[in-house]
């Protein structure tokens, strides 16, 4: 097989897999022709357009220098995208005086529309309101066409030509970056205020599997584009004062070594990033029904290479259990492999079955049955749902109305169709031992027609159909919607459209013509503006109706405005809350008109000082502390066992976790008018037992893990179990092995125990 030319970074492996056994990548993909238009559909000349490959955090791997549109708005990118899924590619475009846009390739093919840009002014300060000069402000936060500037000596900035929907990031040395998303249409100007919080650091060490430091390893951070840091000669690294208060995900890499992502709390200084020699798996793909090799397949997870003769190879796997998923048209299969560090496992076989039916593994003793589904008119019943009664095993018939099922021996019942599917429910009894093929005739469900009178259903309208515990959800739009629904019984219909009151039709009997009228009605809203102590608008403040929190809520943008509703007339409790402000509740009587609360002043709440100690009052450093009320705050204790959490409510619940200790929960109360004295949390050391399990002759027994959710148990060798995280008190566990022998572990656990117990199975 020959592979040549035009492989994008990160796509070579996927293109190689797509070529088949004798494939060849084209030397030059065909050109891509696009058109750039304004908001009125007129051509935009001189627009800069480029094609990009999506990565996890940014737009990278530009194919070539950007091309510019001509007088007719047309632009040609040559070469265009190589063969592969279009969702891998995006198109970025900008023009003078217009907002830059980034679109999926499929959407860009229908035309790139550039609206006039919007100016935005603002201020960047610290939490005390002091302006930050030289802070970097950009929109969007990533390339290729970011509009950026720095603040002046007063902390002020101005950005020009932003798109209607803007995502703006402010960052400054020593402070955590802050993002604000807002809509600029139809407003031409916004005065934003960015309050930056002091950044925190994360430090630790990159090690190999034996715990030795890996010098020069690269540590990558998920917070920002290209945030990479190199460890020193002993594998130690430090990322200083650029991180928010929350968690970050770190990964490390070094030549010939890989790691898995590690979640670390900002402020942690003892993070360990282990590196491993990668393992690999080689094997074959076979049809689970016939046993024949499958040559045309796709390695779904993780990425791998397809080899000639129905073989595959997956590399870069971590030690431990790895799952490999493979698909081939309507067939799917998977297998799990236990790997050692650096091992290459060969001879793995993945059997494929109809997706969603027999599952990834071949089920011993099951009998294949071919099912043909026919519509009442005699043609194939394509897409008919099929389920084995009493199980969750299900599939659908193909376009030809056929499906191959694997059934356990003995009489079984198959369920076809459903109340809200294209075909009406049907039941068929079958014995696979005597019936290798069956034909089932299905009747189509009639259409339920929802007629929207007065106002058509806007895009994104949701409809729920409910009958006897069965629920179906559909997305509709327009003046009329057709949904399949059997007419055997009464039906509940719920319609939810953005900007309109939910419409619930209870116990509807579908008429002969199937038409049900629906009237969408607007209702009053509650609106207001959230301001900080200095009178500045606050972003990221949540306003929600407590009784309808999942349906009636909104987060403020940079202008601090919120609009909750529409609502039905009645009495409601509105809750307004955010990080680093004290929440407020309002009892509101809603009538026929909107309720305007005006400006809502939100004050900074009291801080909470916490001291974490053990039972001998020694401080516990590195303990994870978090609150659970409304917007959680979290962090790590310092070397003195102390931490201060901002933004804590008048009452809250603390959770404290630390290695080697039991989790602690503690209710707290904070005075809103003064700095709270230390809250002391005492942790109890967890116990650990090594249990040696033997048979009556003293030989190690193949013990099974105890089936108890309150125990953390794992095997460490033949006949050996480790029980971690044990609280003080009496411990009693029933143990057994694969041969049915049983024994009981009964012992008294003291705080911090670390000892060996012996259990005999008889």
């Amino acid at each position: 097989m020959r592979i040549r030319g035009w492989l994008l970074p990160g796509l070579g492996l996927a293109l190689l897999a797509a070529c088949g056994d004798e494939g060849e990548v084209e030397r030059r993909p065909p050109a891509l022709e696009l058109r750039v238009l304004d908001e009125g559909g007129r051509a935009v000349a001189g627009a800069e357009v480029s094609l990009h490959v999506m990565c996890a955090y940014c737009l990278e791997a530009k194919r070539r220098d950007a091309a510019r549109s001509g007088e007719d708005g047309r632009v040609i990118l040559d070469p265009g995208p190589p063969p592969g899924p279009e969702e891998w590619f995006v198109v970025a475009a900008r023009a003078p005086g217009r907002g830059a846009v980034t679109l999926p390739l499929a959407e860009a093919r229908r035309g790139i529309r550039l609206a006039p840009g919007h100016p935005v002014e603002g201020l960047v300060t610290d939490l005390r309101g002091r302006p930050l000069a030289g802070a970097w402000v950009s929109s969007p936060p990533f390339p290729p066409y970011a509009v950026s500037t720095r603040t002046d000596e007063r902390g002020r900035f101005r950005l020009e030509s932003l798109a209607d929907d803007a995502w703006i990031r402010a960052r400054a040395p020593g402070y955590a970056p802050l993002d604000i998303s807002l809509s600029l249409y139809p407003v031409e100007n916004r005065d934003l205020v960015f309050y930056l919080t002091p950044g925190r650091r994360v430090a630790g060490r990159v090690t190999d599997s034996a715990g030795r430091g890996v010098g020069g390893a690269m540590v990558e951070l998920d917070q920002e584009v290209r945030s990479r840091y190199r460890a020193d000669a002993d594998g130690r690294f430090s990322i200083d004062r650029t991180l928010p208060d929350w968690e970050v995900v770190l990964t490390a890499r070094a030549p010939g070594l890989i790691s898995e992502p590690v979640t670390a709390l900002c402020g942690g200084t003892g993070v360990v990033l282990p590196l491993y020699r990668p393992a690999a798996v080689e094997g074959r793909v076979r049809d689970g029904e016939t046993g024949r090799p499958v040559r045309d397949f796709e390695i779904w997870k993780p990425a791998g290479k397809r080899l000639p003769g129905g073989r595959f190879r997956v590399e870069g796997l971590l030690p431990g259990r790895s799952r490999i998923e493979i698909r081939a048209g309507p067939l799917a299969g998977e297998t799990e492999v236990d790997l050692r560090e650096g091992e290459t496992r060969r001879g793995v076989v993945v059997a494929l079955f109809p997706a969603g039916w027999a599952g990834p593994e071949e089920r011993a003793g099951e009998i294949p049955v071919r099912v043909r589904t026919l519509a009442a008119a005699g043609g194939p019943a394509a897409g008919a749902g099929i389920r084995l009664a009493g199980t969750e095993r299900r599939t659908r018939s193909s376009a030809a109305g056929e499906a191959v099922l694997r059934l356990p021996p003995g009489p079984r019942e198959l369920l076809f169709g459903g109340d809200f599917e294209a075909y009406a429910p049907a039941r068929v009894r079958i014995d696979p031992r005597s019936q290798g093929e069956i034909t089932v005739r299905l009747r189509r469900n009639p259409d339920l027609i929802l007629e929207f009178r007065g106002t058509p259903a806007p895009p994104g309208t949701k409809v729920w159909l409910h009958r006897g515990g069965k629920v179906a959800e559909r997305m509709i739009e327009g003046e009329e919607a057709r949904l399949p629904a059997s007419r055997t019984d009464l039906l509940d219909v719920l319609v939810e459209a953005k900007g309109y009151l939910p419409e619930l039709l209870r116990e509807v009997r579908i008429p002969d013509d199937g038409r049900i009228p629906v009237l969408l009605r607007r209702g009053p809203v509650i609106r207001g503006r959230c301001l900080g102590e200095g009178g500045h608008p606050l972003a990221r403040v949540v306003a929600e109706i407590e009784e309808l929190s999942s349906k009636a809520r909104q987060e403020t943008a940079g202008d601090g405005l919120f609009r909750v509703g529409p609502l039905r007339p009645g009495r409601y409790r509105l809750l307004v809350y955010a990080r680093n402000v004290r929440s407020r509740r309002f009892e509101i009587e809603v009538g026929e008109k909107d309720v305007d609360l005006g400006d809502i002043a939100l004050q900074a709440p009291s801080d909470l000082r916490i001291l974490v100690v053990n039972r001998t009052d020694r401080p516990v450093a590195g303990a994870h502390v978090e609150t659970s009320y409304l917007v959680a705050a979290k962090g790590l204790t310092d070397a003195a066992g102390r931490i201060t959490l901002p933004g804590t409510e008048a009452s809250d619940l603390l959770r404290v976790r630390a290695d080697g200790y039991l989790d602690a929960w503690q209710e707290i109360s904070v005075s809103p008018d003064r700095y709270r004295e230390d809250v002391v949390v005492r942790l109890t050391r967890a116990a650990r037992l090594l249990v040696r399990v033997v048979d009556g002759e003293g030989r190690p027994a193949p013990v099974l893990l105890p089936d108890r959710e309150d125990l953390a148990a794992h095997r460490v060798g033949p006949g050996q179990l480790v029980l971690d995280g044990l609280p003080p008190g009496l411990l009693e566990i029933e143990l057994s092995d694969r041969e049915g022998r049983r024994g009981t572990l009964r012992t008294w656990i003291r705080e911090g125990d670390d000892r060996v117990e012996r259990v005999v199975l008889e």
Side-chain angles (χ1 to χ4, degrees):
M1 177 173 66
R2 290 180 296 156
I3 303 296
R4 66 174 189 260
W6 300 104
L7 289 181
L8 291 181
L11 288 183
L13 185 62
L15 295 180
L16 175 63
C19 292
D21 296 341
E22 301 296 333
E24 180 176 296
V25 177
E26 294 291 337
R27 177 175 294 276
R28 191 178 186 85
L32 172 65
E33 182 176 330
L34 303 171
R35 195 175 184 203
V36 186
L37 308 171
D38 63 12
E39 68 280 8
R42 298 178 293 271
V44 175
E48 187 177 358
V49 183
S50 58
L51 179 69
H52 297 260
V53 179
M54 284 297 295
C55 75
Y57 312 117
C58 58
L59 305 178
E60 286 186 344
K62 189 156 68 173
R63 290 274 294 159
R64 51 159 291 160
D65 292 337
R68 293 189 179 273
S69 59
E71 292 298 326
D72 59 355
R74 297 187 182 278
V75 60
I76 297 177
L77 298 176
D78 188 14
E86 284 202 346
E87 57 265 26
W88 286 347
F89 302 95
V90 293
V91 174
R94 67 175 176 181
R98 298 183 178 275
V101 297
T102 303
L103 303 172
L105 176 57
E107 183 177 344
R109 290 184 187 276
R110 298 193 293 268
I112 304 171
R113 294 187 179 270
L114 297 181
H118 305 274
V120 168
E121 295 182 356
L123 172 69
V124 181
T125 75
D126 63 12
L127 289 179
R128 296 184 179 181
R130 295 175 298 194
L132 298 177
W136 189 260
V137 184
S138 61
S139 176
F142 44 76
Y145 296 144
V147 180
S148 58
T149 187
R150 288 191 182 274
T151 57
D152 59 20
E153 65 277 1
R154 297 175 300 144
R156 302 287 305 181
F157 69 88
R158 179 180 175 88
L159 296 174
E160 302 284 354
S161 302
L162 299 191
D164 290 349
D165 295 312
W167 176 13
I168 306 174
R169 169 175 292 178
R171 52 190 173 91
Y175 293 86
L178 177 63
D179 295 344
I180 291 181
S181 299
L182 70 161
S183 177
L184 298 174
Y185 178 82
V187 181
E188 285 298 325
N189 200 308
R190 292 292 176 100
D191 193 2
L192 301 179
V193 179
F194 287 84
Y195 294 99
L196 300 189
T197 58
R200 308 185 71 180
R201 65 189 292 260
V202 167
R205 191 180 186 214
V206 182
T207 69
D208 60 16
S209 57
R212 298 182 295 263
V214 179
M218 188 67 71
V219 179
E220 299 185 1
L221 172 69
D222 72 342
Q223 276 307 116
E224 302 174 0
V225 178
R226 300 183 180 91
S227 293
R228 302 184 177 99
Y229 305 83
R230 190 170 294 280
D232 63 16
D234 192 37
R236 301 190 181 278
F237 67 91
S238 179
I239 304 173
D240 294 323
R241 300 191 64 79
T242 59
L243 305 178
D245 297 341
W246 304 94
E247 300 171 340
V248 292
V249 178
L250 301 173
T251 55
R253 55 186 174 86
L257 299 174
I258 60 174
S259 76
E260 59 183 336
V262 173
T263 300
L265 282 177
C266 296
T269 57
V271 180
V272 176
L273 301 179
L275 293 177
Y276 305 93
R277 289 179 290 113
V281 171
E282 292 184 2
R284 297 180 177 273
V285 182
R286 298 189 178 278
D287 188 308
E289 303 289 344
T290 64
R292 296 175 181 172
V294 177
R295 301 179 185 276
D296 186 12
F297 60 86
E298 179 182 3
I299 304 174
W300 194 253
K301 292 180 183 178
K305 293 187 290 187
R306 195 176 64 184
L307 305 177
R311 297 183 296 113
F312 68 90
R313 180 179 173 87
V314 178
E315 300 175 337
L317 300 176
L318 290 165
R321 177 160 296 185
S322 294
R323 174 177 295 180
I324 299 172
E325 300 180 21
I326 293 179
R327 299 185 182 182
L331 305 179
E334 65 181 44
T335 188
E336 291 187 347
V337 184
D338 289 318
L339 298 171
R340 297 187 300 274
E341 182 182 5
E343 175 188 10
T344 297
R345 180 71 59 85
R346 295 180 173 84
V348 175
V349 177
V350 180
L352 305 186
F353 295 93
W357 183 260
E361 72 279 358
E362 185 173 1
R363 302 181 183 231
E366 293 189 342
I367 304 172
V369 175
R370 185 173 298 277
V371 177
R372 296 182 61 215
T373 56
L374 301 178
I386 308 173
R387 182 166 69 90
L388 178 62
T391 73
E392 290 301 318
R393 298 170 64 179
R394 63 182 71 227
T395 188
R396 290 189 178 275
S397 59
S398 65
E402 297 184 352
V404 177
L405 318 178
R406 294 184 64 86
L407 301 178
R412 302 288 168 179
E413 187 175 45
L414 295 178
L415 308 180
F416 295 82
D419 279 349
F420 307 121
E421 295 196 13
Y423 297 94
R427 294 172 175 265
V428 175
R429 299 283 296 180
I430 181 175
D431 189 337
R433 293 172 297 188
S434 58
Q435 295 172 279
E437 183 174 338
I438 62 170
T439 300
V440 181
R441 290 188 177 273
L442 300 177
R443 176 175 56 85
R444 289 194 69 89
N445 269 330
D447 282 338
L448 165 65
I449 306 172
L450 299 181
E451 290 184 331
F452 290 88
R453 298 182 177 178
T455 302
T461 298
K462 293 183 181 180
V463 176
W464 281 270
L465 307 178
H466 180 272
R467 174 189 287 151
K470 300 176 181 178
V471 180
E473 178 183 350
R474 301 289 187 269
M475 300 286 288
I476 63 170
E477 64 177 286
E479 298 180 354
E480 184 177 283
R482 293 176 175 268
L483 308 171
S486 63
R487 302 180 183 178
T488 58
D489 206 347
L490 300 179
L491 182 71
D492 292 339
V493 181
L494 174 62
V495 181
E496 286 190 351
K498 186 176 182 180
Y500 296 88
L501 292 170
E503 188 68 21
L504 176 60
L505 308 176
R506 290 189 177 276
E507 297 186 349
V508 176
R509 186 175 297 280
I510 304 177
D512 292 339
D513 61 359
R515 296 183 176 273
I516 296 178
V518 179
L519 180 62
L520 295 179
R521 296 171 294 175
R522 296 190 181 274
V525 300
I526 301 174
R527 60 175 179 261
R529 184 170 68 151
C530 298
L531 303 178
E533 292 182 339
H536 300 293
L538 292 179
R540 294 187 175 180
V541 179
V542 177
E544 69 179 26
I545 301 297
E546 288 190 320
E547 299 90 338
L548 307 167
S549 60
S550 63
K551 301 293 183 182
R553 72 192 306 270
Q554 188 183 23
E555 183 175 303
T556 62
D559 55 8
L561 296 174
F562 66 84
R563 179 186 176 94
V564 179
L567 303 169
R568 299 186 186 278
R571 192 169 185 82
Y572 297 94
R573 287 194 302 271
L574 179 72
L575 177 63
V576 180
Y577 64 93
R579 290 192 64 199
N580 298 325
V581 298
R582 194 181 307 166
S583 66
R584 294 187 62 180
R585 285 180 172 82
F586 300 86
E587 295 282 344
I588 301 175
E589 188 74 38
V590 177
E592 299 297 331
K593 297 183 178 180
D594 293 353
V595 177
D596 190 352
L597 299 179
D599 291 344
I600 301 174
L602 299 176
Q603 299 177 350
S606 301
D607 287 336
L608 177 67
R609 298 190 307 187
I610 302 166
L611 173 63
V612 181
V613 298
N614 60 20
R615 291 293 176 180
T616 61
D617 288 336
R618 293 183 178 178
V620 178
H624 297 233
V625 182
E626 59 184 308
T627 62
S628 58
Y629 185 76
L630 295 181
V631 183
K634 64 178 80 172
L636 295 172
T637 57
D638 58 20
R642 297 182 181 275
I643 184 175
T644 299
L645 294 181
T648 307
E649 283 293 323
S651 60
D652 213 324
L653 185 65
L654 280 180
R655 183 189 183 191
V656 182
R657 298 174 289 132
D659 292 340
Y661 293 89
L662 301 174
D663 289 3
W665 296 84
Q666 184 166 321
E667 292 185 359
I668 57 173
S669 178
V670 180
S671 168
D673 301 320
R674 66 185 178 89
Y675 204 90
R676 176 75 158 103
E677 298 298 326
D678 282 350
V679 173
V680 179
V681 181
R682 286 182 168 82
L683 299 183
T684 301
R685 287 191 177 275
R688 177 179 180 273
L689 292 183
L690 172 62
V691 183
R692 300 185 186 279
V693 185
V694 298
D695 58 18
E697 299 179 2
R699 296 172 300 189
V703 63
L704 302 175
L705 292 177
D707 186 15
R708 283 180 47 172
E709 295 183 357
D710 60 334
L711 286 178
H714 55 275
R715 298 187 188 90
V716 294
Q720 298 185 39
L721 293 179
V722 168
L723 306 180
D724 278 324
L726 300 175
L730 180 63
L731 176 66
E732 186 170 357
I733 307 174
E734 292 290 337
L735 298 176
S736 61
D737 64 5
R738 296 186 180 89
E739 299 179 10
R741 296 173 295 195
R742 296 182 178 276
T744 301
L745 171 62
R746 183 183 177 88
T747 185
W748 187 265
I749 303 296
R750 295 184 298 273
E751 181 181 355
D753 264 351
D754 189 356
R755 65 176 194 268
V756 178
E757 292 285 342
R758 186 172 184 268
V759 177
V760 179
L761 302 185
E762 298 176 343

